Amino acid sequence: EAGVAQSPRYKIIEKRQSVAFWCNPISGHATLYWYQQILGQGPKLLIQFQNNGVVDDSQLPKDRFSAERLKGVDSTLKIQPAKLEDSAVYLCASSLVGPTEAFFGQGTRLTVV
Amino acid sequence: AQTVTQSQPEMSVQEAETVTLSCTYDTSESDYYLFWYKQPPSRQMILVIRQEAYKQQNATENRFSVNFQKAAKSFSLKISDSQLGDAAMYFCAYRSAMAGGGADGLTFGKGTHLIIQP
């Protein structure tokens, strides 16, 4: 069974530029999460989708971050414009609906200079 | 809001010995799940073990076991017969079972870096 796929693995951009990350969840997983993991900290939930609807985006900085999940499958997370403090690993995870295991991708390491 | 605290930034253990990683959490909810995740340098989070709060019996998975103390809001991980492959960051995480609308994202602690000495 293929796991959660994320791209790119690494990205370096200058502050004020835009960047987008892509996630392809495990086939059949209705729930998709995006987490931000700053160096030295645990991941923090940014947004949760169920199918193509948003379930929780209470911690998403909506002035610069946006996310969508097209047709309830793939998802993209965008930052525009990026700030230095956005440097982090962005993890995508997916799961079946309900209290089941969430499977994580390998993440995208973003460096903003 | 729930919080998860891991008070040990780093732990070191000799290969084949036993180590315990600590985790405490704060919540007003009565129904929830607790997890330990392992994150190697590849960055991919791997589930080690999970515990349902309504279960009194402590979860075990081969060499990994937990000590779940609900009243004390404590959830420690014991790794027996430590192996070199166990070296990684370990994160304790909380998931609500009561949030409205299906919101069930994980709340993580800051992690413990586990070093295995040969």
Side-chain angles (χ1 to χ4, degrees):
Chain A
E1 176 182 272
V4 176
Q6 290 189 246
S7 68
R9 288 294 308 277
Y10 303 90
K11 189 74 176 179
I12 301 174
I13 62 171
E14 295 182 349
K15 60 183 178 184
R16 292 187 289 274
Q17 285 188 324
S18 309
V19 65
F21 313 125
W22 174 81
C23 173
N24 180 233
I26 292 172
S27 178
H29 282 193
T31 305
L32 185 147
Y33 311 85
W34 282 102
Y35 290 86
Q36 179 193 57
Q37 185 176 17
I38 293 173
L39 185 64
Q41 298 184 20
K44 181 185 82 170
L45 179 70
L46 292 176
I47 189 167
Q48 176 187 349
F49 291 95
Q50 188 162 311
N51 296 309
N52 59 355
V54 175
V55 174
D56 182 3
D57 63 357
S58 58
Q59 299 187 89
L60 185 73
K62 298 180 185 65
D63 57 334
R64 297 183 301 105
F65 286 65
S66 64
E68 61 180 3
R69 189 176 184 196
L70 303 173
K71 300 179 182 178
V73 182
D74 292 5
S75 178
T76 56
L77 176 69
K78 297 179 182 178
I79 308 175
Q80 180 179 13
K83 293 185 175 182
L84 295 177
E85 58 261 36
D86 298 332
S87 294
V89 173
Y90 291 84
L91 295 165
C92 179
S94 71
S95 72
L96 298 170
V97 175
T100 60
E101 179 182 354
F103 293 83
F104 285 79
Q106 289 190 297
T108 297
R109 181 180 296 279
L110 173 67
T111 302
V112 182
V113 298
Chain B
Q2 296 79 30
T3 59
V4 176
T5 302
Q6 293 179 251
S7 59
Q8 304 156 316
E10 186 173 279
M11 291 285 285
S12 181
V13 64
Q14 291 288 131
E15 192 176 4
E17 296 195 341
T18 296
V19 64
T20 298
L21 308 184
S22 301
C23 172
T24 58
Y25 58 95
D26 189 27
T27 183
S28 58
E29 299 177 336
S30 58
D31 195 13
Y32 50 87
Y33 304 88
L34 296 166
F35 304 83
W36 279 98
Y37 278 88
K38 171 184 177 181
Q39 187 179 42
S42 68
R43 304 198 300 260
Q44 188 167 17
M45 287 282 192
I46 302 165
L47 179 64
V48 175
I49 198 165
R50 66 178 271 170
Q51 174 80 42
E52 289 84 355
Y54 63 85
K55 290 186 177 179
Q56 292 188 342
Q57 187 173 7
N58 288 324
T60 63
E61 287 287 342
N62 301 312
R63 299 182 294 107
F64 300 87
S65 61
V66 299
N67 183 4
F68 174 47
Q69 301 289 328
K70 190 172 184 179
K73 296 181 182 175
S74 171
F75 182 61
S76 61
L77 173 70
K78 185 172 82 171
I79 305 174
S80 303
D81 184 27
S82 298
Q83 300 176 1
L84 293 177
D86 294 335
M89 286 293 294
Y90 284 81
F91 291 93
C92 179
Y94 174 103
R95 176 191 238 177
S96 172
M98 302 174 64
D104 62 1
L106 295 163
T107 299
F108 287 88
K110 287 190 174 183
T112 297
H113 182 209
L114 179 63
I115 298 168
I116 311 295
Q117 298 189 354

